[in-house]
Amino acid sequence: MNRKVTAYLGLGANLGDRKKQLDQAIERLNHTRGIRVKQRSSLYETAPVGYVDQPPFYNQVIKIQTTFMPEELLENLLLIERELHRVRQFRWGPRTIDIDLLIYEDYIIQQENLTVPHPRMTERAFVLVPLLEIAGDLLIPGTDKKISEWIAELPGRQDVRKLEATEFQYKTNC
């Protein structure tokens, strides 16, 4: 594919130097041919979801332009997770880095290994709050609601604590 599409990725880390892990993941993404980071949200701290006996997470959402098809993009995300020592011990467990494909243009994908939009993003304030910050009040593909409408329905949205705003610019040559 030669055309550039916009996608949004959710990042999280709760092991080691959480901020450094997120920064390293974003740097690796931006240095991957076919991916250019265009914008990143502020940094947020949130309590774990699912398995709660673990440290709090740092979360961030980034906007990218990519020439990859969704499956190729996912392969690159998983490669970067492995390079940053992501170990999948059990669902919702602690991790050095987690990179989720949230939205890929207005695509709706239902495959065994890939669902877009991310299937649980509308249930997670730690995804929607930073997404709203950089995507504006986007309509979530496949739904009839905008980001702010999903956030309004979520309990615990006040528990997503902004740590710092991020000034961000990268050279853009996808």
Side-chain angles (χ1 to χ4, degrees):
M1 170 164 121
N2 284 335
R3 78 179 187 98
K4 297 176 187 174
V5 299
T6 298
Y8 292 91
L9 308 178
L11 291 86
N14 75 335
L15 294 178
D17 184 336
R18 299 171 292 173
K19 184 176 183 325
K20 183 178 177 183
Q21 294 286 77
L22 295 174
D23 289 343
Q24 286 178 336
I26 292 168
E27 281 293 327
R28 286 177 191 237
L29 286 162
N30 199 55
H31 287 96
T32 299
R33 188 174 3 165
I35 299 173
R36 280 301 157 254
V37 177
K38 304 303 285 182
Q39 195 173 2
R40 73 196 273 182
S41 74
S42 299
L43 190 62
Y44 292 84
E45 186 174 49
T46 58
V49 173
Y51 176 69
V52 296
D53 188 20
Q54 60 181 320
F57 279 84
Y58 277 8
N59 294 101
Q60 214 167 21
V61 170
I62 62 172
K63 175 182 179 179
I64 65 167
Q65 277 192 331
T66 185
T67 57
F68 290 129
M69 292 301 295
E71 297 82 3
E72 297 171 304
L73 179 58
L74 178 62
E75 287 174 24
N76 279 278
L77 302 182
L78 294 172
L79 174 64
I80 290 170
E81 285 184 347
R82 285 191 302 274
E83 290 173 353
L84 294 175
H85 312 291
R86 166 79 188 263
V87 177
R88 295 176 188 272
Q89 294 176 329
F90 54 92
R91 188 175 191 179
W92 296 320
R95 60 204 78 157
T96 55
I97 191 70
D98 184 33
I99 309 171
D100 290 330
L101 176 53
L102 303 174
I103 296 174
Y104 184 95
E105 290 281 318
D106 59 354
Y107 283 45
I108 299 171
I109 303 168
Q110 298 264 330
Q111 298 174 353
E112 185 178 329
N113 66 333
L114 178 62
T115 303
V116 176
H118 189 282
R120 289 170 300 283
M121 69 181 281
T122 57
E123 304 164 11
R124 297 176 170 169
F126 65 84
V127 170
L128 293 178
V129 169
L131 180 61
L132 178 65
E133 180 185 326
I134 65 170
D137 209 7
L138 186 71
L139 183 71
I140 303 291
T143 77
D144 59 350
K145 294 181 188 171
K146 295 181 178 184
I147 298 169
S148 64
E149 294 172 295
W150 285 107
I151 291 172
E153 295 177 6
L154 286 176
R157 62 188 175 271
Q158 68 281 355
D159 297 331
V160 178
R161 188 170 64 93
K162 185 188 274 191
L163 296 176
E164 62 182 50
T166 305
E167 297 269 334
F168 182 77
Q169 285 195 317
Y170 275 129
K171 293 184 174 121
T172 55
N173 51 6
C174 195

